[in-house]
Amino acid sequence: PFGLSQLPFYAVLGVFCAAVSLYFLRVTDRVESWFSRRGNMWVRVAIGGVLLGLMVYLFPPLYGEGYATVTDLLHGNPDSVFAGAPYRSLAGNAWATLGVLLALIVLKAVATASTIGAGGVGGTFGPSLVLGGLSGYFVAMLGNTLGLPPQDTANFALVGMAAVMTGVMHAPFMATFLIAEITGGYGLLVPLLATSAVTYLCV
């Protein structure tokens, strides 16, 4: 359950999600522009394929749209980010998990932009949801690992989804009510609104 004493932590999440949103927008713009300057279609496809192949090999959760990874996080299974990875022996280590989550946040934008820039089909809706889920879980887990007052990682992941969508699409009410509706999480309406407002103002 949500308590008003948690609002400062959700405000921190809002600032972090604003930074993630701006990063996503800037990276996708620059990477897609870089690909567009490669005149030959086959060169773009080859570069995009090699980049995506390397990223997926090192971080398997980047394969596909990423919803499965977010679902695993919502169900309290952070070790899923190590599945199929060459460093899967680190599963269970909190700091290693935080490092992988941060890497996924950084690389998801590059993977999305590389897919679109190389000629694939895609947009910002799905990636913003996935980035938000990863960001929310990362912030809550980082606070919990540092010994701050414990926060529910699933709640933070859900609120992060709305916040990053707000930052990317500049639509705080759409993002808030979309997440509340698809998850039935109306108990989180206050943190959803507050965090989305902070993200929107920061962006």
Side-chain angles (χ1 to χ4, degrees):
F2 165 72
L4 286 176
S5 61
Q6 295 176 297
L7 274 180
F9 298 98
Y10 282 103
V12 171
L13 174 62
V15 174
F16 184 79
C17 288
V20 170
S21 302
L22 288 172
Y23 168 77
F24 177 76
L25 291 169
R26 301 269 164 81
V27 167
T28 52
D29 183 54
R30 290 177 183 175
V31 172
E32 288 178 35
S33 296
W34 185 87
F35 270 97
S36 68
R37 291 195 294 273
R38 312 278 82 79
N40 189 308
M41 179 189 73
W42 297 108
V43 171
R44 291 199 302 270
V45 170
I47 294 172
V50 170
L51 278 175
L52 286 167
L54 286 172
M55 286 187 282
V56 168
Y57 171 73
L58 293 173
F59 299 96
L62 291 173
Y63 180 75
E65 74 288 318
Y67 295 142
T69 299
V70 173
T71 301
D72 285 335
L73 293 177
L74 290 173
H75 287 114
N77 182 24
D79 288 346
S80 66
V81 300
F82 293 95
Y87 44 82
R88 54 187 169 273
S89 61
L90 296 174
N93 182 299
W95 290 106
T97 303
L98 287 167
V100 173
L101 288 170
L102 189 58
L104 290 173
I105 291 169
V106 170
L107 292 175
K108 181 64 177 175
V110 180
T112 299
S114 298
T115 299
I116 298 170
V121 177
T124 58
F125 179 81
S128 68
L129 283 177
V130 173
L131 272 174
L134 294 171
S135 299
Y137 198 95
F138 174 82
V139 170
M141 186 177 182
L142 178 62
N144 293 344
T145 304
L146 290 173
L148 298 176
Q151 305 299 320
D152 188 276
T153 51
N155 285 357
F156 267 64
L158 288 173
V159 173
M161 292 166 76
V164 172
M165 188 187 298
T166 292
V168 170
M169 300 184 176
H170 307 291
F173 288 114
M174 180 197 79
T176 294
F177 289 106
L178 177 68
I179 297 303
E181 186 64 33
I182 65 175
T183 62
Y186 281 97
L188 292 176
L189 196 57
V190 171
L192 280 168
L193 286 168
T195 308
S196 294
V198 170
T199 299
Y200 183 76
L201 290 171
C202 289
V203 170

mmCIF file with all atom_site columns, all heavy atoms in Angstrom, residues 175-191:
data_model
loop_
_atom_site.group_PDB
_atom_site.id
_atom_site.type_symbol
_atom_site.label_atom_id
_atom_site.label_alt_id
_atom_site.label_comp_id
_atom_site.label_asym_id
_atom_site.label_entity_id
_atom_site.label_seq_id
_atom_site.pdbx_PDB_ins_code
_atom_site.Cartn_x
_atom_site.Cartn_y
_atom_site.Cartn_z
_atom_site.occupancy
_atom_site.B_iso_or_equiv
_atom_site.pdbx_formal_charge
_atom_site.auth_seq_id
_atom_site.auth_comp_id
_atom_site.auth_asym_id
_atom_site.auth_atom_id
_atom_site.pdbx_PDB_model_num
ATOM 1   N N   . ALA A 1 175 ? -0.528 8.882  -19.679 1.00 0.00 ? 175 ALA A N   1
ATOM 2   C CA  . ALA A 1 175 ? 0.365  7.878  -19.112 1.00 0.00 ? 175 ALA A CA  1
ATOM 3   C C   . ALA A 1 175 ? -0.144 7.398  -17.759 1.00 0.00 ? 175 ALA A C   1
ATOM 4   O O   . ALA A 1 175 ? -0.165 6.195  -17.475 1.00 0.00 ? 175 ALA A O   1
ATOM 5   C CB  . ALA A 1 175 ? 1.770  8.468  -18.967 1.00 0.00 ? 175 ALA A CB  1
ATOM 6   N N   . THR A 1 176 ? -0.581 8.331  -16.929 1.00 0.00 ? 176 THR A N   1
ATOM 7   C CA  . THR A 1 176 ? -1.059 7.978  -15.585 1.00 0.00 ? 176 THR A CA  1
ATOM 8   C C   . THR A 1 176 ? -2.254 7.043  -15.645 1.00 0.00 ? 176 THR A C   1
ATOM 9   O O   . THR A 1 176 ? -2.271 5.979  -15.009 1.00 0.00 ? 176 THR A O   1
ATOM 10  C CB  . THR A 1 176 ? -1.450 9.254  -14.816 1.00 0.00 ? 176 THR A CB  1
ATOM 11  O OG1 . THR A 1 176 ? -0.277 10.041 -14.592 1.00 0.00 ? 176 THR A OG1 1
ATOM 12  C CG2 . THR A 1 176 ? -2.086 8.907  -13.483 1.00 0.00 ? 176 THR A CG2 1
ATOM 13  N N   . PHE A 1 177 ? -3.265 7.408  -16.418 1.00 0.00 ? 177 PHE A N   1
ATOM 14  C CA  . PHE A 1 177 ? -4.481 6.608  -16.431 1.00 0.00 ? 177 PHE A CA  1
ATOM 15  C C   . PHE A 1 177 ? -4.322 5.333  -17.246 1.00 0.00 ? 177 PHE A C   1
ATOM 16  O O   . PHE A 1 177 ? -5.004 4.336  -16.988 1.00 0.00 ? 177 PHE A O   1
ATOM 17  C CB  . PHE A 1 177 ? -5.665 7.443  -16.914 1.00 0.00 ? 177 PHE A CB  1
ATOM 18  C CG  . PHE A 1 177 ? -6.080 8.476  -15.909 1.00 0.00 ? 177 PHE A CG  1
ATOM 19  C CD1 . PHE A 1 177 ? -5.805 9.820  -16.096 1.00 0.00 ? 177 PHE A CD1 1
ATOM 20  C CD2 . PHE A 1 177 ? -6.721 8.092  -14.746 1.00 0.00 ? 177 PHE A CD2 1
ATOM 21  C CE1 . PHE A 1 177 ? -6.170 10.765 -15.158 1.00 0.00 ? 177 PHE A CE1 1
ATOM 22  C CE2 . PHE A 1 177 ? -7.103 9.026  -13.789 1.00 0.00 ? 177 PHE A CE2 1
ATOM 23  C CZ  . PHE A 1 177 ? -6.822 10.370 -13.996 1.00 0.00 ? 177 PHE A CZ  1
ATOM 24  N N   . LEU A 1 178 ? -3.405 5.338  -18.226 1.00 0.00 ? 178 LEU A N   1
ATOM 25  C CA  . LEU A 1 178 ? -3.136 4.113  -18.976 1.00 0.00 ? 178 LEU A CA  1
ATOM 26  C C   . LEU A 1 178 ? -2.559 3.050  -18.045 1.00 0.00 ? 178 LEU A C   1
ATOM 27  O O   . LEU A 1 178 ? -3.026 1.910  -18.022 1.00 0.00 ? 178 LEU A O   1
ATOM 28  C CB  . LEU A 1 178 ? -2.176 4.388  -20.129 1.00 0.00 ? 178 LEU A CB  1
ATOM 29  C CG  . LEU A 1 178 ? -1.760 3.156  -20.935 1.00 0.00 ? 178 LEU A CG  1
ATOM 30  C CD1 . LEU A 1 178 ? -2.950 2.608  -21.708 1.00 0.00 ? 178 LEU A CD1 1
ATOM 31  C CD2 . LEU A 1 178 ? -0.627 3.483  -21.889 1.00 0.00 ? 178 LEU A CD2 1
ATOM 32  N N   . ILE A 1 179 ? -1.541 3.435  -17.254 1.00 0.00 ? 179 ILE A N   1
ATOM 33  C CA  . ILE A 1 179 ? -0.924 2.471  -16.350 1.00 0.00 ? 179 ILE A CA  1
ATOM 34  C C   . ILE A 1 179 ? -1.910 2.042  -15.259 1.00 0.00 ? 179 ILE A C   1
ATOM 35  O O   . ILE A 1 179 ? -2.006 0.861  -14.921 1.00 0.00 ? 179 ILE A O   1
ATOM 36  C CB  . ILE A 1 179 ? 0.352  3.063  -15.722 1.00 0.00 ? 179 ILE A CB  1
ATOM 37  C CG1 . ILE A 1 179 ? 1.401  3.351  -16.807 1.00 0.00 ? 179 ILE A CG1 1
ATOM 38  C CG2 . ILE A 1 179 ? 0.926  2.107  -14.676 1.00 0.00 ? 179 ILE A CG2 1
ATOM 39  C CD1 . ILE A 1 179 ? 1.796  2.150  -17.636 1.00 0.00 ? 179 ILE A CD1 1
ATOM 40  N N   . ALA A 1 180 ? -2.660 2.985  -14.719 1.00 0.00 ? 180 ALA A N   1
ATOM 41  C CA  . ALA A 1 180 ? -3.645 2.635  -13.691 1.00 0.00 ? 180 ALA A CA  1
ATOM 42  C C   . ALA A 1 180 ? -4.692 1.674  -14.238 1.00 0.00 ? 180 ALA A C   1
ATOM 43  O O   . ALA A 1 180 ? -5.112 0.732  -13.558 1.00 0.00 ? 180 ALA A O   1
ATOM 44  C CB  . ALA A 1 180 ? -4.312 3.902  -13.154 1.00 0.00 ? 180 ALA A CB  1
ATOM 45  N N   . GLU A 1 181 ? -5.102 1.896  -15.485 1.00 0.00 ? 181 GLU A N   1
ATOM 46  C CA  . GLU A 1 181 ? -6.171 1.084  -16.077 1.00 0.00 ? 181 GLU A CA  1
ATOM 47  C C   . GLU A 1 181 ? -5.682 -0.320 -16.431 1.00 0.00 ? 181 GLU A C   1
ATOM 48  O O   . GLU A 1 181 ? -6.348 -1.314 -16.125 1.00 0.00 ? 181 GLU A O   1
ATOM 49  C CB  . GLU A 1 181 ? -6.711 1.776  -17.327 1.00 0.00 ? 181 GLU A CB  1
ATOM 50  C CG  . GLU A 1 181 ? -7.914 1.089  -17.941 1.00 0.00 ? 181 GLU A CG  1
ATOM 51  C CD  . GLU A 1 181 ? -9.137 1.079  -17.038 1.00 0.00 ? 181 GLU A CD  1
ATOM 52  O OE1 . GLU A 1 181 ? -9.325 2.050  -16.277 1.00 0.00 ? 181 GLU A OE1 1
ATOM 53  O OE2 . GLU A 1 181 ? -9.883 0.090  -17.081 1.00 0.00 ? 181 GLU A OE2 1
ATOM 54  N N   . ILE A 1 182 ? -4.521 -0.414 -17.079 1.00 0.00 ? 182 ILE A N   1
ATOM 55  C CA  . ILE A 1 182 ? -4.079 -1.738 -17.540 1.00 0.00 ? 182 ILE A CA  1
ATOM 56  C C   . ILE A 1 182 ? -3.592 -2.611 -16.394 1.00 0.00 ? 182 ILE A C   1
ATOM 57  O O   . ILE A 1 182 ? -3.508 -3.828 -16.543 1.00 0.00 ? 182 ILE A O   1
ATOM 58  C CB  . ILE A 1 182 ? -2.990 -1.640 -18.638 1.00 0.00 ? 182 ILE A CB  1
ATOM 59  C CG1 . ILE A 1 182 ? -1.706 -1.017 -18.088 1.00 0.00 ? 182 ILE A CG1 1
ATOM 60  C CG2 . ILE A 1 182 ? -3.495 -0.891 -19.848 1.00 0.00 ? 182 ILE A CG2 1
ATOM 61  C CD1 . ILE A 1 182 ? -0.568 -1.001 -19.100 1.00 0.00 ? 182 ILE A CD1 1
ATOM 62  N N   . THR A 1 183 ? -3.260 -2.000 -15.250 1.00 0.00 ? 183 THR A N   1
ATOM 63  C CA  . THR A 1 183 ? -2.778 -2.789 -14.117 1.00 0.00 ? 183 THR A CA  1
ATOM 64  C C   . THR A 1 183 ? -3.811 -2.893 -13.006 1.00 0.00 ? 183 THR A C   1
ATOM 65  O O   . THR A 1 183 ? -3.615 -3.665 -12.064 1.00 0.00 ? 183 THR A O   1
ATOM 66  C CB  . THR A 1 183 ? -1.506 -2.165 -13.517 1.00 0.00 ? 183 THR A CB  1
ATOM 67  O OG1 . THR A 1 183 ? -1.822 -0.860 -13.022 1.00 0.00 ? 183 THR A OG1 1
ATOM 68  C CG2 . THR A 1 183 ? -0.405 -2.076 -14.544 1.00 0.00 ? 183 THR A CG2 1
ATOM 69  N N   . GLY A 1 184 ? -4.894 -2.112 -13.098 1.00 0.00 ? 184 GLY A N   1
ATOM 70  C CA  . GLY A 1 184 ? -5.851 -2.076 -12.013 1.00 0.00 ? 184 GLY A CA  1
ATOM 71  C C   . GLY A 1 184 ? -5.264 -1.433 -10.769 1.00 0.00 ? 184 GLY A C   1
ATOM 72  O O   . GLY A 1 184 ? -5.748 -1.640 -9.658  1.00 0.00 ? 184 GLY A O   1
ATOM 73  N N   . GLY A 1 185 ? -4.211 -0.652 -10.962 1.00 0.00 ? 185 GLY A N   1
ATOM 74  C CA  . GLY A 1 185 ? -3.484 -0.078 -9.831  1.00 0.00 ? 185 GLY A CA  1
ATOM 75  C C   . GLY A 1 185 ? -3.959 1.294  -9.425  1.00 0.00 ? 185 GLY A C   1
ATOM 76  O O   . GLY A 1 185 ? -3.154 2.218  -9.267  1.00 0.00 ? 185 GLY A O   1
ATOM 77  N N   . TYR A 1 186 ? -5.248 1.455  -9.204  1.00 0.00 ? 186 TYR A N   1
ATOM 78  C CA  . TYR A 1 186 ? -5.760 2.768  -8.819  1.00 0.00 ? 186 TYR A CA  1
ATOM 79  C C   . TYR A 1 186 ? -5.346 3.160  -7.402  1.00 0.00 ? 186 TYR A C   1
ATOM 80  O O   . TYR A 1 186 ? -5.437 4.323  -7.031  1.00 0.00 ? 186 TYR A O   1
ATOM 81  C CB  . TYR A 1 186 ? -7.279 2.814  -8.983  1.00 0.00 ? 186 TYR A CB  1
ATOM 82  C CG  . TYR A 1 186 ? -7.686 3.006  -10.426 1.00 0.00 ? 186 TYR A CG  1
ATOM 83  C CD1 . TYR A 1 186 ? -8.034 1.919  -11.211 1.00 0.00 ? 186 TYR A CD1 1
ATOM 84  C CD2 . TYR A 1 186 ? -7.677 4.269  -11.000 1.00 0.00 ? 186 TYR A CD2 1
ATOM 85  C CE1 . TYR A 1 186 ? -8.387 2.087  -12.551 1.00 0.00 ? 186 TYR A CE1 1
ATOM 86  C CE2 . TYR A 1 186 ? -8.025 4.451  -12.331 1.00 0.00 ? 186 TYR A CE2 1
ATOM 87  C CZ  . TYR A 1 186 ? -8.375 3.359  -13.097 1.00 0.00 ? 186 TYR A CZ  1
ATOM 88  O OH  . TYR A 1 186 ? -8.711 3.527  -14.409 1.00 0.00 ? 186 TYR A OH  1
ATOM 89  N N   . GLY A 1 187 ? -4.877 2.216  -6.626  1.00 0.00 ? 187 GLY A N   1
ATOM 90  C CA  . GLY A 1 187 ? -4.323 2.541  -5.320  1.00 0.00 ? 187 GLY A CA  1
ATOM 91  C C   . GLY A 1 187 ? -3.053 3.352  -5.423  1.00 0.00 ? 187 GLY A C   1
ATOM 92  O O   . GLY A 1 187 ? -2.605 3.966  -4.456  1.00 0.00 ? 187 GLY A O   1
ATOM 93  N N   . LEU A 1 188 ? -2.454 3.351  -6.622  1.00 0.00 ? 188 LEU A N   1
ATOM 94  C CA  . LEU A 1 188 ? -1.217 4.104  -6.862  1.00 0.00 ? 188 LEU A CA  1
ATOM 95  C C   . LEU A 1 188 ? -1.484 5.417  -7.588  1.00 0.00 ? 188 LEU A C   1
ATOM 96  O O   . LEU A 1 188 ? -0.557 6.032  -8.122  1.00 0.00 ? 188 LEU A O   1
ATOM 97  C CB  . LEU A 1 188 ? -0.234 3.262  -7.696  1.00 0.00 ? 188 LEU A CB  1
ATOM 98  C CG  . LEU A 1 188 ? 0.352  2.031  -7.020  1.00 0.00 ? 188 LEU A CG  1
ATOM 99  C CD1 . LEU A 1 188 ? 1.222  1.253  -8.009  1.00 0.00 ? 188 LEU A CD1 1
ATOM 100 C CD2 . LEU A 1 188 ? 1.181  2.425  -5.815  1.00 0.00 ? 188 LEU A CD2 1
ATOM 101 N N   . LEU A 1 189 ? -2.730 5.861  -7.617  1.00 0.00 ? 189 LEU A N   1
ATOM 102 C CA  . LEU A 1 189 ? -3.065 7.042  -8.406  1.00 0.00 ? 189 LEU A CA  1
ATOM 103 C C   . LEU A 1 189 ? -2.295 8.286  -7.941  1.00 0.00 ? 189 LEU A C   1
ATOM 104 O O   . LEU A 1 189 ? -1.822 9.068  -8.762  1.00 0.00 ? 189 LEU A O   1
ATOM 105 C CB  . LEU A 1 189 ? -4.569 7.304  -8.353  1.00 0.00 ? 189 LEU A CB  1
ATOM 106 C CG  . LEU A 1 189 ? -5.111 8.266  -9.412  1.00 0.00 ? 189 LEU A CG  1
ATOM 107 C CD1 . LEU A 1 189 ? -4.775 7.791  -10.815 1.00 0.00 ? 189 LEU A CD1 1
ATOM 108 C CD2 . LEU A 1 189 ? -6.625 8.419  -9.261  1.00 0.00 ? 189 LEU A CD2 1
ATOM 109 N N   . VAL A 1 190 ? -2.152 8.453  -6.634  1.00 0.00 ? 190 VAL A N   1
ATOM 110 C CA  . VAL A 1 190 ? -1.435 9.631  -6.120  1.00 0.00 ? 190 VAL A CA  1
ATOM 111 C C   . VAL A 1 190 ? 0.038  9.612  -6.539  1.00 0.00 ? 190 VAL A C   1
ATOM 112 O O   . VAL A 1 190 ? 0.533  10.592 -7.100  1.00 0.00 ? 190 VAL A O   1
ATOM 113 C CB  . VAL A 1 190 ? -1.582 9.742  -4.585  1.00 0.00 ? 190 VAL A CB  1
ATOM 114 C CG1 . VAL A 1 190 ? -0.654 10.833 -4.038  1.00 0.00 ? 190 VAL A CG1 1
ATOM 115 C CG2 . VAL A 1 190 ? -3.025 10.051 -4.225  1.00 0.00 ? 190 VAL A CG2 1
ATOM 116 N N   . PRO A 1 191 ? 0.786  8.516  -6.294  1.00 0.00 ? 191 PRO A N   1
ATOM 117 C CA  . PRO A 1 191 ? 2.180  8.522  -6.761  1.00 0.00 ? 191 PRO A CA  1
ATOM 118 C C   . PRO A 1 191 ? 2.303  8.573  -8.284  1.00 0.00 ? 191 PRO A C   1
ATOM 119 O O   . PRO A 1 191 ? 3.262  9.148  -8.810  1.00 0.00 ? 191 PRO A O   1
ATOM 120 C CB  . PRO A 1 191 ? 2.768  7.232  -6.191  1.00 0.00 ? 191 PRO A CB  1
ATOM 121 C CG  . PRO A 1 191 ? 1.605  6.388  -5.833  1.00 0.00 ? 191 PRO A CG  1
ATOM 122 C CD  . PRO A 1 191 ? 0.495  7.327  -5.487  1.00 0.00 ? 191 PRO A CD  1
#
